[in-house]
């Protein structure tokens, strides 16, 4: 079977002024269709960086990223935008919600870009908000929501779009334990029932218990 997502000798060095921080040192990772994979490892080990590069949100210093047979690390902004529209969903720590849109409109945003009719996209977005216990907040704007609630809207947006693969950076961080557990169960059922592939970083032991595979990063490398 061909990997859905693959990194080859992926290397990232951040440069701030004259200081270089190596964040990834030659990561070779293969994610197969339908996998439910956690990235674990201490703070600063490179989990977020790896997720950003895998989704084409940032460019590697060296190495390659392949998504379903297409090399994506050198794509143009427009090509990457298409990729995010149709294939990859993100749940990242910076929520990136659109301030002038309500929770419902934010959750439906990708579907709107795809040109889905209003009733269809609102039904899908509302279903996703319900899963996250956010249906009563559907008509609020991000600045009228707490940080954890905003995060849930960002999760709903990714879930509503039903991409092939969802990359999530600590999706249950900032959630109370009941909501966190509901989110885990929902991700798991989307994975099992719809075959959506998940890769997420986490420190959450309840999430680590429920994964197929744990990839442990240490100091920018996959630990043995
Ligand atoms: N934009 C940036 N500029 C400079 N250095 C960065 C930047 N982003 C991350 N780093 C550095 O790269 C390394 C890896 O960071 P990264 O955020 O990927 O770790 P992480 O495993 O996600 O950590 P955490 O569990 O705390 O979220 C760290 O040393 C970090 O300080
Ligand atoms: Mg991180």
């Amino acid at each position: 079977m061909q990997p859905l997502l693959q990194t080859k000798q992926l290397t990232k060095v951040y440069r701030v002024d004259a200081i270089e921080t190596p964040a990834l040192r030659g990561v070779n990772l293969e994610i197969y269709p339908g996998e439910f994979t956690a990235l674990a490892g201490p703070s600063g080990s490179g989990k977020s960086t790896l997720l950003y590069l895998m989704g084409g949100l940032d460019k590697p210093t060296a190495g390659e990223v392949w998504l379903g047979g297409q090399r994506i690390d050198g794509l143009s902004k427009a090509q990457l935008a298409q990729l995010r529209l149709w294939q990859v969903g993100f749940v990242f720590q910076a929520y990136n919600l659109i301030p002038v849109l309500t929770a419902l409109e934010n959750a439906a945003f990708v579907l709107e870009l795809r040109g889905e009719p209003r009733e269809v996209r609102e039904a899908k977005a509302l279903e996703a908000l319900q899963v996250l216990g956010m249906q009563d907040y559907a008509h609020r704007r991000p600045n009228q929501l707490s940080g954890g609630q905003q995060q849930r809207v960002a999760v709903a947006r990714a879930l509503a779009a039903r991409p092939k693969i969802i990359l999530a950076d600590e999706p249950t961080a900032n959630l109370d334990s009941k909501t966190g557990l509901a989110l885990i169960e929902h991700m798991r059922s989307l994975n099992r029932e719809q075959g959506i592939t998940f890769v997420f970083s986490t420190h959450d032991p309840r999430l680590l218990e429920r994964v197929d595979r744990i990839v442990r990063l240490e100091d920018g490398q996959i630990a043995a």
Side-chain angles (χ1 to χ4, degrees):
M1 198 173 20
Q2 202 194 12
L4 178 58
L5 191 61
Q6 184 172 17
T7 70
K8 298 180 184 175
Q9 287 298 322
L10 198 64
T11 302
K12 179 69 178 179
V13 180
Y14 290 107
R15 286 191 185 79
V16 178
D17 301 325
I19 300 161
E20 295 196 340
T21 309
L24 295 177
R25 310 168 192 252
V27 171
N28 294 306
L29 178 61
E30 292 179 356
I31 303 292
Y32 288 91
E35 276 190 320
F36 197 71
T37 302
L39 302 178
S43 178
S45 57
K47 303 179 297 294
S48 298
T49 302
L50 181 55
L51 287 166
Y52 271 79
L53 294 181
M54 287 198 301
L57 294 180
D58 197 1
K59 300 241 185 270
T61 308
E64 302 174 5
V65 182
W66 292 75
L67 179 69
Q70 183 188 18
R71 186 167 170 189
I72 65 163
D73 53 272
L75 294 183
S76 69
K77 278 212 170 104
Q79 289 170 315
L80 286 169
Q82 282 299 310
L83 204 81
R84 291 196 282 270
L85 183 54
W86 295 100
Q87 304 201 59
V88 186
F90 293 100
V91 180
F92 281 173
Q93 280 161 345
Y95 313 113
N96 287 326
L97 296 178
I98 297 168
V100 297
L101 300 183
T102 64
L104 184 65
E105 290 162 344
N106 267 289
F109 188 65
V110 176
L111 305 171
E112 185 175 357
L113 291 178
R114 285 186 195 162
E116 295 201 14
R118 177 180 291 273
E119 315 80 70
V120 174
R121 64 186 195 240
E122 289 196 345
K124 287 180 181 171
L126 196 58
E127 189 193 341
L129 287 173
Q130 259 158 5
V131 166
L132 292 147
M134 286 295 292
Q135 66 277 9
D136 294 342
Y137 300 89
H139 299 292
R140 292 212 201 170
R141 298 216 174 82
N143 68 359
Q144 299 166 324
L145 298 169
S146 72
Q149 290 169 336
Q150 291 177 42
Q151 181 165 353
R152 283 190 265 170
V153 175
V155 174
R157 179 179 54 191
L159 297 183
R162 305 268 162 96
K164 273 191 211 153
I165 183 163
I166 293 182
L167 305 174
D169 199 7
E170 305 197 29
T172 61
N174 309 317
L175 299 184
D176 64 75
S177 71
K178 184 163 156 264
T179 308
L181 207 55
L183 173 59
I184 294 166
E185 296 301 344
H186 187 67
M187 284 165 50
R188 219 7 175 163
S189 71
L190 282 175
N191 169 253
R192 290 221 169 96
E193 286 154 27
Q194 318 237 0
I196 298 178
T197 304
F198 282 86
V199 185
F200 45 83
S201 66
T202 188
H203 297 278
D204 186 340
R206 293 167 313 168
L207 195 44
L208 290 173
E209 259 168 32
R210 288 169 166 79
V211 300
D212 297 329
R213 173 152 80 120
I214 299 176
V215 173
R216 221 168 270 286
L217 285 180
E218 266 170 40
D219 212 9
Q221 288 179 312
I222 295 180

